[in-house]
Amino acid sequence: MKLIFEHSVAGRCATAQMPHRLNSLDDLPEHLLRRDEPLLPQVSELDVVRHYTQLSQRNFSIDTHFYPLGSCTMKYNPRACNSLAMLPGFLDRHPFAPAATGQGYLTSLYELQQILIEVTGMAAVSLAPMAGAQGEFAGVAMIRAWHDSRGDTARTEIIVPDAAHGTNPATAAMCGYTVREIPTDAQGNVDLDALKKVVGPQTAGLMLTNPSTLGVFEQQIQTIASMIHHAGGLLYYDGANLNAILGWVKPGDMGFDVIHINLHKTFATPHGGGGPGSGPVAVSERLVPFLPLPRVGGESGHYRMLDEHDCPRSIGRLSGNHGNGGVLLRAYIYARMLGGEGLRRVARYATLNANYLMARLQQAGFDLAFPKRRASHEFIVTLKRLKDQTGISAMDFAKRLLDYGFHAPTTYFPMLVPECLLIEPTETESKATLDAFVAAMIAIAQEAQAQPELVKTAPHTLPVRRLDDVRAAREPDLVWSVGRECAVR
Amino acid sequence: MKLIFEHSVAGRCATAQMPHRLNSLDDLPEHLLRRDEPLLPQVSELDVVRHYTQLSQRNFSIDTHFYPLGSCTMKYNPRACNSLAMLPGFLDRHPFAPAATGQGYLTSLYELQQILIEVTGMAAVSLAPMAGAQGEFAGVAMIRAWHDSRGDTARTEIIVPDAAHGTNPATAAMCGYTVREIPTDAQGNVDLDALKKVVGPQTAGLMLTNPSTLGVFEQQIQTIASMIHHAGGLLYYDGANLNAILGWVKPGDMGFDVIHINLHKTFATPHGGGGPGSGPVAVSERLVPFLPLPRVGGESGHYRMLDEHDCPRSIGRLSGNHGNGGVLLRAYIYARMLGGEGLRRVARYATLNANYLMARLQQAGFDLAFPKRRASHEFIVTLKRLKDQTGISAMDFAKRLLDYGFHAPTTYFPMLVPECLLIEPTETESKATLDAFVAAMIAIAQEAQAQPELVKTAPHTLPVRRLDDVRAAREPDLVWSVGRECAVR
Amino acid sequence: MPFIPHTPAEVAAMLEIIGAPDLDALFDEIPADLIGPPDAALPVALNEMEITRLMHDRVAQDGRWLNFIGAGGYEHHIPAAVWQIVTRGEYYSAYTPYQAEASQGSLQLIYEYQTMMASLTGLDVSNASLYDGASALAEAVLMAVRAHKISTRVLIPKTVSPIYRATVKTIVAHQGIEVVELPYDPVTGTTPVPQDEDVFAALVIPQPNFFGQLEDVDGLTDWAHARGAKVIALVNPMTLGVLKPPGQWGAKDVSGAPGGADIATGEGQPLGAPLSSGGPWYGFLTCRTALVRQMPGRLVGRTRDADGNAGYTLTLQAREQHIRRAKATSNICSNQGLVIAASTVFMSLLGPEGLRRVASICHANTRALTAALSALPGVCQLFSGSSFHESVVQLDRPVAQVLQGLMQAGILGGYDLSQDYPELGHALLLCATETKTAADLTRYTEQLAGILSMEQTA
Amino acid sequence: MPFIPHTPAEVAAMLEIIGAPDLDALFDEIPADLIGPPDAALPVALNEMEITRLMHDRVAQDGRWLNFIGAGGYEHHIPAAVWQIVTRGEYYSAYTPYQAEASQGSLQLIYEYQTMMASLTGLDVSNASLYDGASALAEAVLMAVRAHKISTRVLIPKTVSPIYRATVKTIVAHQGIEVVELPYDPVTGTTPVPQDEDVFAALVIPQPNFFGQLEDVDGLTDWAHARGAKVIALVNPMTLGVLKPPGQWGAKDVSGAPGGADIATGEGQPLGAPLSSGGPWYGFLTCRTALVRQMPGRLVGRTRDADGNAGYTLTLQAREQHIRRAKATSNICSNQGLVIAASTVFMSLLGPEGLRRVASICHANTRALTAALSALPGVCQLFSGSSFHESVVQLDRPVAQVLQGLMQAGILGGYDLSQDYPELGHALLLCATETKTAADLTRYTEQLAGILSMEQTA
Ligand SMILES: Cc1ncc(COP(=O)(O)O)c(C=O)c1O
Ligand SMILES: Cc1ncc(COP(=O)(O)O)c(C=O)c1O
């Protein structure tokens, strides 16, 4: 498809969006003004609407396709959350408008805080982090602040299992820690012996996802927690998989000291083609003073944002305001629509769907990474055997799924399982959809034997055929400029 | 694609949309209650969102495609008109809520009335008719009421040119008139001699579209008007083509007594897959008392709906309320965004686009129905020569255009031009789009010679291939029932 | 130039191709004396920012109200998904699906709509909508008369909305049809089986009727059928989740054919259209298969494509004005497509159980409110018998005055019947749908109590 | 079960396939003592109708205000098309385009966004967004330090928003970076070229600065470059329609390479994100090609498919956490995708001329308001020199008290600087964007005059 720039015609504009006049700027020094014209398209409103409407149709999305992207919890994003969070009054409010003009808004945030505290079993929460990774940052920074506050400054390491999401080690590094990676055992649990070897006085803490990104529940969590605590470290819970245990197991009860929650996963806020997310961070009692700012405090009718004066020991601010407000509203609305019972049901049915899909695929002859384990809300199929037999990789398989009208599962993550597909159906998909997905998987497995080229060169029915990633990285073409039109399809 | 019913599973529901309980109805007599269950789908909210989102992608629309459907004025529907007309306060207002609670709304309608009066050159308007055809009904009923009011009850005929839209004769018949059809001359004008022959004391009036549906301006309009008026008849203006002369020629100045305006054409309100439209009817002074109810009257700050007490001679009501309010708001917003100058520009550029496209197609070898005439905002290509040569019909050609990503022009209307395509580009399309359309027309003309089968069996790239209309009419399958699943694509 | 993309350079290039010296030349076939100067009386253009501010101001001016008015338009919750989906450009900005292959989205949706409406009303086929409930009733009357062939007399009870009756009269006025109004029983507020012995083409039966009362639909249907007339059911589709569908009214007929109304029609608004000051709503129309060729409006049929796959297309167009012209079943062309799209999504989201529950709560809420109000001194329920989700109470003073008082408290208290039915005295028609909470009902009751406890002003 | 489609029959069939006796069995690997009972403290479920009413009530509670606060978030008109398009399910409910072939919509859009932002800032490449302006500034600082390799000292003027400075400190705290704050000239409210002679990695230059004043960007850029440091431009992208883009700041460098800032960053909100109490907004980040491998965040590149057609894909992922883990350029993963989609549509609708006009009117409005207010007794403009679309006025009494008075009149009068900059006295930062009419400015002026004419309360 053409780029919006290729629709541009000098002098054209979307007139209804134009202020009537250009005001003089001649009170400003000439040398501070722009001389050239930025490369923005000069198009009509219809050009814009048509271009971006057509473009949208070149996306798979939850609203159009089953999207079993493991670790991402692509559940249905209720439409009411969108329309209510976008009521004009919510949209128009300035972040620095006085609290008195925002009691409706702040009440919602305050109640969201209470709900998150409740489901995590923690003592307090800050809604400030703008995604999971920023929640992790806040969490590890609090771990550091806590050790520092006790004069315990010799702790230099954060322990991270090899199955962890890349944000965990990256975050630890941003917080100035050295990362100690530990292996996973054959059942997908943390290798306790290996853990024992790395825990020590240098341990600041451990970051863990539970259920892990391997799709299994870490059964020795209580042992692990006491090992770490015993060594003087703290436990960080990566809440990306909270959907699996929501309302059943509270991270606080497992012994975690800090947790972030991906509202864009467990609380059904939209993923928006990459974001915005929201990663509130909740803590046990001892870390409360360090929570990032701002938080909503006060009492009914007089809520306000707490700041440095209220919380002098806070690790500080993570953003110019207080996180992704509109996302928080959506999460709040979702939580209220589910209620306590509904939140608990989420984990139950997410787990049911994952175990059902896993059983069906196993019965159909697919290899599971952990065949002896229950699936949590997701599970891993490994295509290593197929790869060895036919040369067809997990990526080929994934691309062929697109032809069948299914978004592919997460591929090649976690890295420790070869040729893996991490499959997370979520609770909002029906049995019929899961069955159709199984049928596609079986059909592709048959194609892999009968017509391997078909699979290796997939996809065949999408707006583009297989894209050349190597070329993209070798000859980066990151911005367009006039004269760089290229083959259009 | 599956039908929504085929996603249904007994016992499933979109729970968030459910009231919490079923209240007892046992105070109602048993025999008045329903025993069976209606065939509504039992599906989840995600099922619904996904189904209707996917389904939407199987439509061409202005927002996705050039849509040069002659006589329909498929111009860009500004998105602001939609969002502003759908502000919660507008949506929530009950039609019988007192006028005091609707001054914001009524002011908008009143001002719309003023704008329509101004651009039509008439004395007053009623916004009540809910589409063009209902406007026609109101108009012809007023013609009748006027004759009746003068005791002139022997007039039994309405004259309609053969090029007229089917709603004109159908409306005349609904108003109890006999339709006298008159032919068109070689230049697309009304055949004056023929007209002379049918005008007489039995003539109640004449219905005319000007520019006509042949895409040309009726040049003898003043002569025609005086002929009809002389015979004691009145002139009805079918405003479906008002877009062509908006702000330049007022129907009132041409001598018309009544006019309807298709707001869903000239005033850019959405066509919505078939409607809703809106067909306000405007009249000259003598017909004002007969206008349909209600109308907005009163004065600033005290607007209200006029009723039978205010207008005892009205032809009456056409609907349970006062027409398609939300459509009226959209039209009002559009008119205000254009302003007087902008409305005048509409006709100028609609005409430019039509004449340009006509010239390009003529230069490319296509036959015009009226090669010696200016196009108004639309024009006719006739493919008779091609049909004679190759057997390829206007319908085949139209279907092949779909493959090129263009909605087809109107086909086989007006009926008097064989193998016709009635092409209306509208003012909101750019030269680039028109050029691309010409290129497709040329390409298809070449295919018609080189690969006629390709054209005859088009379309080839749409969700379905050519549909069997004959079967649809011979074996009507108008509703689905369980067990009637059929081949899915 | 708002919404016009042309640049001066393009205009010049286009004129060159046309061979016209300037833009004015394009109007050179129009008699010069007809062309007027720019119209100074029209307002100047507002950009989108300005009109946005204006419309926000206007809507703010109109306020927020607690509404208990029904009388033909009903406040129901509309799921957010409904209008988010149907205002997608692909639905919103498409037109009538004349090119079927490029309109499978709209067409399949209409086919689904037809199926739902036919089933809801218990009849065989549905069209793709008419303008609104009142005008659809008029079309149903015309259709029944065409089908009956002999009589042009149509009986319409006074328990049909006055505005509907007025609309019918306007629309059928010129086709020699005689509309006879049937009286109602002042005790039950329903239509007794008529004494009328003349031949007639059709009887209209409203259910629930304008007073919210439930008519004896079986008795009326059988009576009409026994006289060879058609029965036109005028129904609120929301109530059909729980009320007997028109297709099942009355006894099965002697020939073994199903009994029931021949035609069902009504206002579709309760199924997903916002009140929106009265529109756009839509009229639905369903009937027995035997009557389909008399039906006005568009129909979508399922057929097959060249590969044998299912597809959808407009069909039986020979009834319609663009083919049939003066002999068409109606002049209707544009209908209410987008609103029925909303209804289809709405019905899919509610399903049979949702519809049932909503209807049942509307009934319960109105009953509870009526009971609470009737317990106040100066208020009594007017009719005996069963009502559905509207009811009539009689007050001890003019309704207009009481409504004025309620407005001070932010309440729109109902519809004043005294203009249309002066014989009923100070009669107020009220409606409490599922959108009303117990607190809302209490608020109404308390405010009314307060007003009625005041001395009556002259 | 809200949003869960399962029927009891399906659950039974699924358990059968799994071979589990009941749903609880699926949790049998979790230590039993960890599983808690249902949580009674959580509220019960509201259906959509109930939550709709609740949120409408809440938003009504917060009122409508005439807003003159800027200070990092700016009220601009957002065309209706923008959010209608980006909340289409295909954008709204997709995730990061990991499967490129199934995500060409999002990917091409991001490529277009990158092009627009690079051009707007006058630099070579743009990433696909960071969380917000403040955190993006922190990432830019880290990036500059990585690129500089030698020094870890970074200079940040006090004319950068206090909250941005606080955010930078939080985020860079653990990487041994020394943040030095530069003073401002109390007369001009801008940053003089520093005297500092130590080595440093980067200088941050805000334009316009937090006071709305225009910095001497050329002088500062040249000074930093002469000392081998990187320049980080912190800019409001809306102003770049008329202000010199960072890529052109300062002299061309001796080697003939272009001069200009090395990195540009800032808050993208003014380009199409609603104020929305502060989020979701987004941080943009652009830089010279040479720095791209130090850049945090996602990048989309154009490439070819198997047929040689153009297509788009995430690229240079070796910088990112999911590949690079502890050595990544940043831990960022989810970004603000939907908001940049809105920005892309917004910029397309405005185009260069629209952006220019909006910026110019913001400037004119703020100038006009400042002039009108400064003409009142007790008010004066605080800084000389040029300001853009915010300005600082000094009042004769505490700002908080005056703002309170304005609120009585429905006006949010600006941002009180006295907490962050006590040295400025009763200083008020105000902003009048293109959304304000002449009448609005007059209303503000008159209200303020009224308040100031009153005796000062203790
Ligand atoms: C296990 C895990 N941890 C952390 C993250 C990071 O969360 P975010 O993308 O919200 O920053 C993700 C996101 O995909 C994840 O799957
Ligand atoms: C020339 C003409 N007249 C009348 C009509 C009828 O208008 P409506 O469809 O709004 O009833 C049309 C609609 O297409 C038309 O093109």
Side-chain angles (χ1 to χ4, degrees), chain D residues 4 37 59 84 89 134 144 204 230 233 247 249 251 264 272 283 318 322 341 387 391 405 421 440:
Chain D
I4 294 177
V59 81
Q84 288 189 40
V204 174
K230 304 289 176 201
W249 291 358
H322 64 283
S387 65
S391 75
Y421 299 91
D440 296 334

Side-chain angles (χ1 to χ4, degrees), chain D residues 11-243:
Chain D
V11 172
M14 294 169 84
L15 287 172
E16 167 118 21
I17 293 279
I18 297 169
D22 55 28
L23 286 167
D24 284 345
L26 301 176
F27 288 143
D28 58 8
E29 288 189 0
I30 301 178
D33 58 339
L34 287 179
I35 295 189
D39 202 323
L42 291 169
V44 299
L46 301 181
N47 61 30
E48 189 186 295
M49 180 184 82
E50 292 164 332
I51 189 76
T52 299
R53 175 107 180 239
L54 179 70
M55 298 313 287
H56 276 264
D57 287 348
R58 292 227 168 127
V59 81
Q61 188 181 347
D62 291 353
R64 290 181 83 207
W65 301 89
L66 190 65
N67 170 53
F68 292 91
I69 313 175
Y74 302 92
E75 185 179 349
H76 292 293
H77 172 66
I78 302 175
V82 172
W83 285 91
Q84 288 189 40
I85 289 174
V86 304
T87 56
R88 287 171 57 84
E90 296 93 325
Y91 290 128
Y92 187 78
S93 75
Y95 200 16
T96 309
Y98 293 124
Q99 288 296 339
E101 296 84 358
S103 311
Q104 288 297 298
S106 292
L107 285 163
Q108 181 174 330
L109 186 149
I110 297 170
Y111 181 82
E112 294 176 354
Y113 162 83
Q114 289 175 177
T115 301
M116 294 181 198
M117 293 311 292
S119 172
L120 209 48
T121 55
L123 289 166
D124 303 324
V125 294
S126 165
N127 76 0
S129 82
L130 297 167
Y131 302 130
D132 80 334
S135 58
L137 177 59
E139 294 280 4
V141 163
L142 293 173
M143 179 179 166
V145 168
R146 279 194 301 272
H148 192 264
K149 297 200 179 89
I150 299 164
S151 171
T152 57
R153 266 183 97 226
V154 176
L155 312 184
I156 305 189
K158 283 217 160 99
T159 59
V160 166
S161 153
I163 215 163
Y164 276 47
R165 285 180 278 135
T167 303
V168 169
K169 281 176 205 155
T170 309
I171 295 178
V172 308
H174 313 296
Q175 305 204 29
I177 289 169
E178 184 192 350
V179 173
V180 179
E181 297 201 337
L182 302 179
Y184 60 88
D185 177 334
V187 177
T188 60
T190 59
T191 310
V193 171
Q195 303 301 315
D196 197 310
E197 285 305 324
D198 290 348
V199 182
F200 63 99
L203 167 66
V204 174
I205 308 176
Q207 183 77 327
N209 71 22
F210 188 62
F211 303 136
Q213 300 293 111
L214 294 183
E215 301 275 2
D216 172 17
V217 292
D218 294 326
L220 290 165
T221 299
D222 288 343
W223 176 81
H225 278 169
R227 276 152 193 77
K230 304 289 176 201
V231 168
I232 299 171
L234 176 67
V235 285
N236 177 335
M238 174 58 82
T239 70
L240 294 180
V242 300
L243 292 185

Side-chain angles (χ1 to χ4, degrees), chain B residues 103-119:
Chain B
Q103 288 305 304
Y105 172 71
L106 290 168
T107 303
S108 306
L109 263 49
Y110 185 85
E111 292 180 5
L112 175 63
Q113 289 182 172
Q114 295 307 111
I115 291 168
L116 296 179
I117 289 170
E118 201 53 48
V119 297

